[in-house]
Each structure stands twice: as structure tokens, then as C-alpha cells.
Amino acid sequence: MSQKESVRNATVACQPEGQTTRTLIAPFISAIIPCRNEEKYIESCLDSIIANDYPTDRFEVLVVDGMSDDSSRHIAAGYAARYAFIKVLNNPKKTLAAAWNVGIKNGKGDIIIAMNAHAAIEPDFLSKCVRYLQEYSADCVGPVIVTHPQDETLLGKAIATAMSHPFGVGNSRFRTGTKEPCWVDTVHFSAYRKEVFERVGIYNEELVRSQDIEFHLRLKFAGGKILLVPGMTVHYYTRSNPRGFVAYGFINGYWVTYPFRFGAVVAQVRHLVPLVFVSSIIGATILSVWLPRFSFMLLLILALYSFVAFSVAVMTALKKKDIRFVAFLPLVFLTYHVTYGIGSMVGFIRALVSKRFWKSIRAMSAIWLTR
């Protein structure tokens, strides 16, 4: 029996004598892929899904195109013409949350997988989503992300390393990895039972970023369980050019605090560390003008940060056998943390001056107290 056949038909063993053997049909999966100007990656993403071991009559792929300006839609339409299980839908709002919601509303699956065109999955990814949802009675399961550079330059490799190291991204386990399946607060490339959206609602379309974090917080608040599985792997390609990386850090930080304006809570402790870091530097610098003792505090903060950053860089250089990481990696860490912190500061200030923020502060306080 082929691997696909074994996934399709799971025979129930130990049937009582005289009863007909029953066959369990694999759950139907809807894989949702938001796509906007992803002509470099949409083919590899779709190819990786097509190569999966899950029966092709038990899943569909919904490419939700955000009105792409490049050839992404044309490429996706070509796949849809060749494969009956691939469909292309429109996303006039052009955001991730809106794309996933279009897929959720149009998907036929018992299981919904919120994917990303910027990545490729392993051949057993779909079957493992089903397995771990059932085996652990989870509401949501997600993989460990293996981060790759868009370009195989030293800077690109340093950025990819920083985005998967605890010093770079904190205790974000889906990025840093885990040895055993564990319950977490959020995952990426999430697979859900369809009834989750009936119970919790859909993604918040007011959020341009951090939609999945906010949704997972609502899910956990409603008693849902989120499982991170190290055996499930997704390969993600991160930005490698300096301008794109700076923008990436700022936007990520901004959308950690700005959602407060909408009464949405997404910030975990790890998300606020860069804000505290940048605020401490700015505050100590300003205060040192009048109080010299704060000059020592500023030097202490910078010295501790530099020590940790260079220590991580040295260990990485030894592991990768490339001494150049000692020079590049601390700069990448600093760039990401500072841009992220500044983004968080700007987002928080903009949220703070909003009337809607003050109207929703009581609701947010109640959520924080129950975490």
C-alpha cells in the first residue's frame, strides 16, 4: 500500500466479531495561501504542497491573491488550470488577515491551514497536521520554522541566524525550536479544526500584522490549546537586503503595540523587551545631560548588550566555521532590536493618543489579568 493510500484509509483494528470492518476517511483539508507579489516564491510553495503525501482528493489549496502587480496571479492560475484541487481567489483588501478570512469563508475543509506564500512545507506536513490535531486533541498545531536567507550572502545568512536565535527573537519557540511537542502561546503556519473559527471568530482585519498572535490569544482565552510540533517543519525565506530588514524590524515592532488602539492585545513580555531596551538608552542619554550618574547607566546597558551579542556571534562563528559572523551578527542583532523598539515606541504613542484606546482599556486590563 502506498503512503497516500495508508493516509486515506485508516482501518479500525479489533472490530467485534460479526461486524463489518469500518474505514476512516482522512479529514478534508483547506490550505490557505495569501499571496501578493510573490512571483519568486509561489511556485516552490505550491510545488511543496503538491509533493505532499496526503491524498489529493482530500485537500484543496486556496491561493488568495491580493491583487498582485507582478506575475504571481498568472503563475497561480497556471497551477489551478493543471490541478483541480488548486483555486485562485481574490483579496481586494490585500492584507494577510483578509486573505485568511477569505479562505476560511470559502474553504470546505474540516481542517484549515493558514499558510504563507513565502515558504515551502515538508512532504509529510499535511498528514502530520491531522495526526497531531487528533493525537493531542489540540485546537491548533504548528511547525518549527527553519529560516533561510533570500540571498546566500553573508548578511543574508546573519539575518537568518538572528531570526532563529533566542537572543534575536526571545522565547519564540516556533522560531528557535523545541525537542518535544509542547503547548505554546502562538505558532505560525497554523492548522486548526474548523470549529475553532465558529467558536472564536475569524482574524481581526484591522491588524496589518500580528493577526495570528491576537487570534491565538483569543483562542487561549476561550480555553483552546495550541501545540508546537518539532517534527513538523516549514522552510521560510527571510529578507536579506538591509533596507528590507530595517523596514521588517520597524513594522514588526509597530504592530506589537499599535493594536492597543483597537482594543487588541498581542504583546507578550518578549515583544516588549526591545521597547524597554531602546527607551532605556534614550532615557539614560537624556538624563545624563543633567545627572552624570546616568552616563554610567548608559555605558552599563551598552556594555552588557555588546557582551551578549558578541558572545553569541563568537559561538555562531565557531559553529558555522566562519569568523566573519563575529563582525556581522552583532550589527544584525542591534539593527533588529533598535528598529523593532522604535517601531513599538511609535506604535504605542499613536495608540495612546487614540480615543478608542481609552474606551477599550478596561477590556484589555481584564485580558491581561487572566493571562
Side-chain angles (χ1 to χ4, degrees), residues 172-357:
S172 181
R173 290 191 181 182
F174 73 85
R175 291 185 181 276
T176 60
T178 179
K179 293 182 179 179
E180 300 291 338
C182 59
W183 301 109
V184 293
D185 53 24
T186 190
V187 288
H188 201 31
F189 292 88
S190 314
Y192 307 92
R193 299 176 185 274
K194 182 65 176 286
E195 59 265 26
V196 164
F197 300 102
E198 298 169 2
R199 189 166 88 245
V200 182
I202 55 179
Y203 287 95
N204 187 340
E205 294 186 10
E206 288 186 301
L207 307 184
V208 174
R209 294 288 179 98
S210 304
Q211 316 91 336
D212 48 351
I213 299 174
E214 188 272 339
F215 180 81
H216 290 150
L217 179 59
R218 276 190 279 139
L219 176 57
K220 290 198 71 177
F221 189 63
K225 298 187 295 182
I226 303 171
L227 184 73
L228 176 65
V229 182
M232 294 168 55
T233 305
V234 166
H235 299 273
Y236 181 81
Y237 298 87
T238 192
R239 294 158 181 75
S240 297
N241 64 83
R243 183 176 179 179
F245 183 58
V246 167
Y248 177 72
F250 180 88
I251 292 171
N252 282 353
Y254 181 86
W255 281 100
V256 159
T257 54
Y258 187 62
F260 285 135
R261 175 176 182 175
F262 310 113
V265 180
V266 302
Q268 304 282 339
V269 172
R270 67 172 178 270
H271 297 130
L272 299 177
V273 171
L275 173 59
V276 173
F277 173 63
V278 171
S279 299
S280 298
I281 292 176
I282 294 174
T285 300
I286 294 173
L287 290 172
S288 64
V289 174
W290 296 281
L291 301 171
R293 72 183 68 175
F294 281 95
S295 297
F296 173 77
M297 182 180 293
L298 176 63
L299 291 174
L300 180 61
I301 293 171
L302 295 176
L304 287 173
Y305 183 90
S306 299
F307 174 77
V308 176
F310 277 103
S311 296
V312 171
V314 169
M315 289 187 286
T316 302
L318 293 173
K319 182 179 180 180
K320 295 182 177 293
K321 298 179 180 180
D322 191 338
I323 193 64
R324 294 177 297 172
F325 276 94
V326 176
F328 271 80
L329 200 51
L331 181 60
V332 169
F333 281 136
L334 182 63
T335 300
Y336 185 64
H337 292 154
V338 169
T339 55
Y340 194 110
I342 293 173
S344 296
M345 189 177 297
V346 173
F348 184 69
I349 292 171
R350 289 200 63 193
L352 200 63
V353 299
S354 167
K355 292 181 180 179
R356 187 172 172 183
F357 168 78

Side-chain angles (χ1 to χ4, degrees), residues 82-94:
R82 297 195 301 273
Y83 299 96
F85 56 85
I86 298 178
K87 299 177 183 178
V88 180
L89 303 175
N90 292 327
N91 173 24
K93 293 184 179 179
K94 303 180 182 180

